């Protein structure tokens, strides 16, 4: 594996992952499926670490994966590669948007991008839920519906959803609470 390949893959993810950190997850899953330097079974841990550290999810995951692949230099290369397309595109758009922001075609383009971004985020959410809440491999062997669910994490998932609706706390408190619950209940 070379640094150039690392740069290429994360540059590609940064170029096409429209919508922010969660929209990069499908691209990161694709990278994990093709390369051993970002193993699929480590994705939930990478997401958890990336979500619980300051900064955008996609950038944190690129940094983490780059570090795993090639140390500090890999972290720098992967992070720069992920950010570079956005930097280039935003500079270009900023120059033209002032001239064309009232243009109906531009407004319609942005309206068309919104559902795509929502779909990318939903797909990423489903990927995380499949790994976290379900045991599809166990169910495939036993054909017992009770074996389909990871009951411990499903319970905490529902609990957090209820708490989020009832209490408007800063996300830090939910993340810290989930970390403590993971330690206490060995999830």
């Amino acid at each position: 594996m070379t640094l150039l390949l690392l740069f290429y893959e994360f540059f590609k993810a940064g170029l096409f992952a429209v919508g922010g950190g969660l929209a990069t997850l499908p691209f990161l899953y694709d990278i994990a499926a093709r390369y051993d330097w970002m193993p699929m079974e480590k994705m939930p841990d990478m997401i958890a670490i990336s979500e619980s550290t300051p900064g955008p999810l996609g950038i944190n995951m690129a940094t983490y994966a780059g570090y795993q692949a090639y140390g500090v230099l890999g972290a720098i290369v992967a992070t720069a590669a992920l950010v570079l397309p956005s930097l280039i595109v935003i500079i270009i758009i900023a120059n033209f948007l002032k001239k064309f922001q009232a243009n109906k075609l531009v407004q319609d383009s942005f309206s068309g991008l919104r559902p795509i971004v929502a779909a990318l985020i939903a797909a990423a959410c489903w990927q995380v839920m499949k790994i976290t809440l379900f045991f599809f491999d166990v169910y495939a062997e036993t054909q017992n519906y009770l074996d389909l669910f990871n009951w411990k994490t499903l319970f905490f998932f529902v609990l957090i959803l209820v708490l989020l609706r009832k209490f408007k706390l800063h996300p830090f408190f939910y993340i810290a609470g989930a970390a403590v619950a993971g330690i206490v209940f060995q999830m």
Side-chain angles (χ1 to χ4, degrees), residues 22-45:
L22 291 175
T24 61
L25 283 178
F27 295 94
L28 297 175
Y29 275 104
D30 180 59
I31 293 170
R34 290 186 290 122
Y35 300 105
D36 61 350
W37 39 266
M38 195 167 135
M40 188 68 78
E41 59 272 1
K42 291 217 178 227
M43 288 296 287
D45 295 336

Side-chain angles (χ1 to χ4, degrees), residues 167-187:
F167 303 104
K168 305 294 183 207
L169 298 176
H170 191 277
F172 168 78
F173 294 108
Y174 293 107
I175 292 168
V180 169
I183 292 167
V184 170
F185 296 103
Q186 298 177 353
M187 300 187 326

Side-chain angles (χ1 to χ4, degrees), residues 42-81:
K42 291 217 178 227
M43 288 296 287
D45 295 336
M46 290 174 66
I47 293 168
I49 290 168
S50 297
E51 280 285 8
S52 61
T53 54
L57 173 76
I59 294 171
N60 290 350
M61 286 193 68
T63 306
Y64 185 91
Y67 184 80
Q68 292 282 76
Y70 218 78
V72 174
L73 185 57
I76 293 168
V77 167
T79 304

Side-chain angles (χ1 to χ4, degrees), residues 9 40 55 90 105 107-108 125 133 160 162-163:
E9 289 296 338
M40 188 68 78
I90 201 68
L105 184 64
Q107 291 176 352
D108 290 346
C125 180
L133 303 178
I160 295 297
V162 170
L163 291 174

